[in-house]
Amino acid sequence: METFENLVDMFEKSTKKYADRPLFGVKKGGAYHWITYREIAKEVDEFRGGLAALGVGQGDTVAVIADNRPEWAVGAYAVYGLGAQYVPMYEAQLPKEWEYILKDSGAKVLLVANSKIAEKCRPMLASNGGVATLEHIVEFGSKGPDGYATVLEKGRANPKPSVQAKPEDVCGFIYTSGTTGNPKGVLLTHSNITSNINAVHQIFPMSPEDVSLSFLPWAHSFGQTCELHGLLSYGASMGLAESVATIID
């Protein structure tokens, strides 16, 4: 049975072993269009270089405000490969909650799902007198100066090899809902997650032929561990649900 030392190790083993298998399915025009493990690995390599060009390095924090989408995962594995930490948030949260988490986590770069969220977060940039550590907002789907496509271009021009994290290194924060006060950031190490994945491989057999309908948020520890990391470790596929309202369809 294969075991994984950290999330970079897991990602690189899976994307090499299952290179031609479909990883993420995105629904367009009523049909799922699939992106392979090889294609995602290439994008992660490019985005890792792009984030490094923005100044992200060992021990830094990158936050994301987005629902499940391929770019969410690309961001996560690119960040892990820099020895940095990933902090997910929800699109449905209030801007004041985003700002609190950005400050609390010391985020250097923020990835966002769309221009609407980007505009709400722009006052939070350090250059605008906001969060002291926040230097860049990268918008998925944008080709602007700090857009996702531009960061990928920077990465192609400035490749950055991945680093293998120590098991005790922090890979990310998962924040509580904050229903009784400010959200609390739970620090998770690479071994916190990979030990769970290694255990799943012992007790829950799955195969590259298996497909998940992805609707549990990856911003939550269950969706992130059991689906994103867990299924990727098996070479399985994830079709991204358009919304909770379309699950039955």
Side-chain angles (χ1 to χ4, degrees):
M1 185 193 77
E2 192 153 46
T3 58
F4 307 105
E5 297 297 319
N6 58 62
L7 290 168
V8 181
D9 173 54
M10 185 204 78
F11 178 79
E12 292 179 350
K13 283 178 178 174
S14 288
T15 52
K16 185 177 180 180
K17 186 175 181 179
Y18 306 110
D20 295 323
R21 300 289 306 171
L23 175 49
F24 297 125
V26 179
K27 202 167 188 182
K28 295 176 184 175
Y32 276 98
H33 298 263
W34 293 90
I35 307 167
T36 66
Y37 277 76
R38 178 183 283 107
E39 289 167 330
I40 289 293
K42 180 176 180 289
E43 205 159 309
V44 166
D45 285 345
E46 292 171 355
F47 200 58
R48 184 175 62 247
L51 287 175
L54 294 181
V56 178
Q58 193 101 22
D60 285 332
T61 301
V62 174
V64 59
I65 303 170
D67 295 336
N68 297 2
R69 55 190 293 162
E71 296 93 337
W72 194 108
V74 169
Y77 293 113
V79 166
Y80 303 148
L82 290 169
Q85 304 159 354
Y86 206 52
V87 179
M89 292 178 274
Y90 298 91
E91 290 186 30
Q93 283 178 285
L94 298 172
K96 66 178 182 180
E97 294 171 325
W98 296 334
E99 186 170 15
Y100 174 82
I101 291 171
L102 290 168
K103 283 180 180 175
D104 191 64
S105 66
K108 193 170 191 176
V109 174
L110 172 63
L111 315 180
V112 299
N114 52 52
S115 58
K116 187 176 177 181
I117 296 173
E119 285 307 309
K120 289 179 180 178
C121 293
R122 219 167 292 286
M124 302 175 198
L125 283 164
S127 58
N128 293 328
V131 178
T133 57
L134 188 61
E135 298 177 3
H136 300 278
I137 295 174
V138 176
E139 182 189 331
F140 296 148
S142 170
K143 296 180 180 178
D146 258 357
Y148 182 74
T150 305
V151 176
L152 289 175
E153 283 179 20
K154 288 179 181 177
R156 284 192 286 272
N158 301 279
K160 181 78 172 176
S162 63
V163 298
Q164 293 292 329
K166 297 175 184 174
E168 65 271 18
D169 287 347
V170 173
C171 67
F173 298 42
I174 298 281
Y175 275 81
T176 63
S177 59
T179 48
T180 57
N182 287 324
K184 306 292 190 299
V186 179
L187 277 65
L188 295 173
T189 66
H190 282 263
S191 64
N192 282 149
I193 295 178
T194 55
S195 63
N196 280 335
I197 293 168
N198 291 336
V200 166
H201 277 252
Q202 292 180 37
I203 62 172
F204 199 82
M206 292 182 68
S207 81
E209 304 300 322
D210 288 316
V211 181
S212 159
L213 176 64
S214 173
F215 65 91
L216 291 175
W218 297 339
H220 189 279
S221 55
F222 188 86
Q224 187 181 140
T225 302
C226 293
E227 183 179 58
L228 175 59
H229 302 315
L231 290 179
L232 187 142
S233 74
Y234 280 106
S237 305
M238 290 164 256
L240 307 182
E242 295 162 289
S243 76
V244 173
T246 65
I247 289 171
I248 300 300
D249 293 337

